[in-house]
Amino acid sequence: MYSIGDLSRQTGVKVPTIRFYEEKGLLAKPYRTAGNQRRYDETALKRLQFIRHSRDLGLPLPDVEALLSLEGAQGADLDHVHEIADRQLTELRNRITLLRSLEAELERITAACDGTHDHVCEVLNAFGDHSKCLGSH
């Protein structure tokens, strides 16, 4: 059995977040000792590791909940798992595209200033005026 602190150290999930996951129903309410301390079993540890890794992969909580609800599912029920993974991959690729666009724009903006301070800074102007950007972001 693990205390909440042990569970936190084992998974890297902060104690308040573990409590939050309990409140949301992602983790089962743990056994409580006579002193009212939480005690978690190996199943809770593995479930929290699953939640942590899913969140590290960028999945929003509703998707994590959906994946957890499919535990033990078989056949066509697992199609939803693939839908979630495909949607996450698409969203990630969209964010990467946006970040590359922002990177290019920031490179262009930073190159607009010669580094001397005897005139109005074009970098500062660009941050304050979206019309100076080449594209939308």
Side-chain angles (χ1 to χ4, degrees):
M1 297 296 263
Y2 303 95
S3 70
I4 196 166
D6 293 335
L7 202 64
S8 176
R9 282 185 289 283
Q10 291 266 343
T11 61
V13 177
K14 294 180 180 180
V15 169
T17 305
I18 294 171
R19 290 184 186 128
F20 172 77
Y21 290 156
E22 284 176 25
E23 290 171 19
K24 296 293 270 180
L26 296 172
L27 276 178
K29 296 286 182 194
Y31 163 78
R32 297 255 184 180
T33 66
N36 204 30
Q37 292 181 339
R38 292 172 166 90
R39 291 290 182 251
Y40 300 88
D41 59 13
E42 194 70 25
T43 301
L45 174 67
K46 290 189 183 313
R47 190 171 181 100
L48 188 56
Q49 288 170 331
F50 179 92
I51 294 168
R52 169 69 193 261
H53 191 231
S54 297
R55 297 290 287 149
D56 286 348
L57 290 169
L59 292 174
L61 277 180
D63 285 347
V64 174
E65 282 183 274
L67 291 174
L68 288 170
S69 74
L70 292 167
E71 189 174 16
Q74 297 178 353
D77 290 340
L78 296 175
D79 289 345
H80 191 54
V81 173
H82 294 275
E83 291 168 10
I84 290 170
D86 287 341
R87 184 176 61 244
Q88 185 62 24
L89 181 58
T90 298
E91 289 177 15
L92 177 65
R93 286 177 174 154
N94 290 341
R95 284 195 308 264
I96 289 169
T97 299
L98 174 62
L99 288 171
R100 285 186 178 137
S101 171
L102 290 173
E103 178 185 35
E105 188 63 31
L106 284 170
E107 283 178 349
R108 190 190 68 74
I109 288 171
T110 56
C113 184
D114 60 11
T116 62
H117 300 292
D118 58 352
H119 57 278
V120 175
C121 179
E122 289 304 315
V123 175
L124 193 57
N125 282 340
F127 279 119
D129 185 356
H130 181 64
S131 69
K132 296 193 180 289
C133 294
L134 294 180
S136 63
H137 44 267

